[in-house]
Amino acid sequence: MSKKYAFLFPGQGAQAPGMAKDIAESSPAAKKVIDDISAITGLDMAKLLWESTPEDLARSDNSQIAITAASLATMAALKEKGIEPSSAMGFSLGEFPALYAAGVLSFEDVIKVVRQRGIIMQKVCEEIAAKSEGRAPGMTAVLGLSQDQVKALVEPIEDAYAANMNSDKQTVVSGTFDALDKVEAAAKEAGARRAVRLKVAGPFHSPLMQDAAVEFEKFLADITFNDPKINLFSNVTGGKVLDGDQAKKAAVLHLTHPVLWTDEEACLAGVIKEDGIENSAVLEVGPGKVLTGLWGQTEFGAGIAATPVNTAETISTL
């Protein structure tokens, strides 16, 4: 019986200058992905990926397409080795490479969609910051409190929203600059181990991104979303994506609704257990290893191996 792989794709914040460079240098398929994305977007992807400063890469209009390029290049290198997913899910931005992996979006469409999504989100984030006298909105990770504790903590704070359900002990809050100051102070008072402002460009997965959702929905009107060909899981519902229509609606809701990552992990773990743990593996396909760490923090991942795949060396060991 052939091994079954679940691919996890990282989200914004995973970017780093130089990501996927060694993969593109060692894999013709990965190099072709980078070149093809350059042709579609009109951007010099090699320069963006490998010569940008961390500050430039942190911008949504740069990081989203760059992370997607690194993830898709890594996936192409895995395919060269005969490794393809039977399940896919992505964290936030990572849901779009997952849509491609599942056959929901074509290669050209996923690149166009991610590029436009990043541009729209960056613009809205800058507009929010301008209204706040330059104090940029963003996200704060609260560690050491349960999801319910964090939800209760942010409820009375205006313009603060529980946005990413990362694990039982880690929840990310989106908000304006001032709102996040209040969240961080309240979290420490409530006994949180840490409250860390993240290096992201805006208050993602919250109602503060409603203007971006409206504009993004208009852009998606002419984009075809096919039914998934493999198991695909949704940040918005926390469960399986049933068809292309649901995937398209979720792509818009994605901007203003929380990421139900722990629910997705539980759903994926159930599929893996049905397939047989001994015959399955979870791969984090793209820069960083955050999702591998989150998988290891949950009871769902017990006994199921997870591996970050972000270098030529990690690919060669599979």
Side-chain angles (χ1 to χ4, degrees), residues 40-264:
I40 293 168
T41 62
L43 299 171
D44 184 340
M45 290 307 303
K47 185 176 182 179
L48 178 62
L49 284 163
W50 307 325
E51 298 179 25
S52 293
T53 65
E55 292 74 23
D56 284 340
L57 269 184
R59 290 176 55 92
S60 289
D61 48 0
N62 289 331
S63 63
Q64 294 199 20
I65 192 64
I67 293 166
T68 298
S71 295
L72 295 186
T74 305
M75 186 166 69
L78 288 170
K79 187 175 182 179
E80 278 186 320
K81 290 196 65 170
I83 297 173
E84 298 192 59
S86 59
S87 297
M89 65 190 206
F91 191 98
S92 188
L93 163 71
E95 191 152 292
F96 290 87
L99 289 169
Y100 169 68
V104 174
L105 288 174
S106 69
F107 181 83
E108 184 168 351
D109 280 348
V110 77
I111 298 309
K112 289 179 179 178
V113 165
V114 168
R115 177 64 178 146
Q116 194 62 29
R117 183 179 185 268
I119 290 170
I120 291 170
M121 290 174 68
Q122 181 66 33
K123 183 185 75 170
V124 169
C125 291
E126 289 175 357
E127 289 170 353
I128 297 172
K131 292 175 184 176
S132 304
E133 299 178 348
R135 295 190 300 276
M139 305 177 84
T140 290
V142 179
L143 290 75
L145 298 179
S146 70
Q147 291 178 15
D148 287 342
Q149 284 177 302
V150 175
K151 288 175 185 176
L153 183 147
V154 304
E155 188 175 1
I157 299 175
E158 186 177 3
D159 291 332
Y161 305 90
N164 296 347
M165 310 302 148
N166 287 359
S167 73
D168 293 338
K169 294 295 182 182
Q170 184 185 132
T171 302
V172 176
V173 177
S174 283
T176 60
F177 187 95
D178 292 342
L180 292 180
D181 276 349
K182 294 174 184 176
V183 167
E184 289 159 9
K188 290 171 186 174
E189 285 184 17
R193 185 161 55 86
R194 291 179 70 198
V196 184
R197 194 77 57 105
L198 301 181
K199 295 178 181 179
V200 295
F204 307 140
H205 305 291
S206 79
L208 295 173
M209 299 302 295
Q210 180 59 35
D211 288 348
V214 170
E215 192 169 343
F216 192 49
E217 184 173 25
K218 292 175 184 175
F219 177 79
L220 291 182
D222 296 326
I223 302 292
T224 298
F225 280 64
N226 303 302
D227 294 343
K229 296 177 181 177
I230 61 174
N231 296 316
L232 176 67
F233 304 91
S234 166
N235 289 180
V236 172
T237 68
K240 278 189 183 182
V241 176
L242 303 178
D243 54 44
D245 287 342
Q246 183 192 27
K248 191 169 191 174
K249 290 173 183 173
V252 177
L253 294 173
H254 201 234
L255 292 174
T256 57
H257 285 60
V259 173
L260 304 181
W261 190 249
T262 50
D263 290 348
E264 284 183 79

